Amino acid sequence: MAMNDLFQQVARAQDDALEDGATLDNVRRTLLARPAARSRRPLVAGLVLTAAAGALVFWLRDPPPLTFEVARTPGTEGTTVVARADSELPLQFSDGSAVVFQPGASGQVRRLGGSGADVVLDRGRLEVHVVHASQTKWTVRAGPFRIRVTGTRFSTTWDPKSRIFKVALQEGAVLIDGALLGEAMPLRAGQVLNVDVPAAVVQTEPLVTAPPVERPPPPAARQSRAEKPAPAPPPRPAWRALAEKGAHAQALLAAEAMGFTDLCQQIDARALLILGDAARYAGATPRARQAFEALVRRFGDDALAADAVFSLGRLAVEAGERADAIRWFGMHATRWPDGALAEQAAGRLLELHAGGSDGEAARRAAELYLQRHPDGPRASLARRTLVER
């Protein structure tokens, strides 16, 4: 049996199983159980098929499940989260995602997987930022509703007494299903979904982030002038609308048509972060760096600069530029020691130094990590580094 035919057989087995909704474990069992096609050399064919299936099983192996912290305390599956009435309660996940229970909200982390988590909101309001990755499988459940997430920022509210559900989407796109919505209702960035279950009302409207404050006119003036409709929000530039829909390559082309460098000097911090992410997901690393560096240079005091610095460090790691990666992650660890990505940045810095030849720098990175994250997922690496160095 030709090697090409062999791998086509393995690929067909994988595709058939996945189309039937099988899990990765079932795919593995299917591949290993399927007999090799008849060959004039059965022993060789069997060995080759076994090796190919073994390689594919390794490739399909699930990544390790996420970990998370609740107010710097390690959490586990089934952890119940209750925010105090006067303060929010953040959950920080090992992939850089963050879920913040607003004051008075409660829920659970029901499932932790290698590519995401299943978070349940029992009542109150959540602020969610899921980091986009090649395989992202996050869900947020609230009452009879489920929000399927791939990488986005949004807030959701659920009131079990009035049975009113709300989602306000700032970035990205989600699919929502459940009562009154059918199987999959899409929601795009800049939209708000309101569902009143008892009244059977489903309504979407534009997201208004900062409504203008206007004093009511005196009674005489109110009677004398006609009602004016509220001005429509300005249309989003084509590149940003495409980026928020997940069409990253098209968004980059649209940004290039408008003048990428000029955009980097004109748009605000939020737009620069979206532009940089779009370029990164489209595989245009130099453009992603340009946008992120513009954000750091122009809006260094903005909280979004922390996200840009972290992304610059990650890009440097992916490019094999160790010194630049150390510089960016070191900047993040220094300037945002309590930020949402603080553990991730300190951990990346530790990994980079632990694999290098500078023993003193490795010790400093390990001590810094243990000082700030004594129970973090890289604490064992930090302690081992201190022993070995």
Side-chain angles (χ1 to χ4, degrees), residues 121-125 142-145 156-167 180 192-203:
L121 175 64
D122 290 333
R123 70 172 186 273
R125 182 166 173 264
F145 301 97
T156 184
T157 305
W158 168 246
D159 185 341
K161 292 184 178 179
S162 65
R163 295 182 63 78
I164 291 177
F165 172 69
K166 179 177 180 179
V167 179
L180 307 178
V192 176
L193 171 68
N194 292 289
V195 182
D196 186 332
V197 176
V201 172
V202 178
Q203 181 183 13

Side-chain angles (χ1 to χ4, degrees), residues 132 172-173 188 240-251 281:
H132 181 83
R188 303 295 184 186
R240 182 163 179 174
L242 288 165
E244 290 172 344
K245 291 177 181 178
H248 305 300
Q250 295 93 324
Y281 299 145

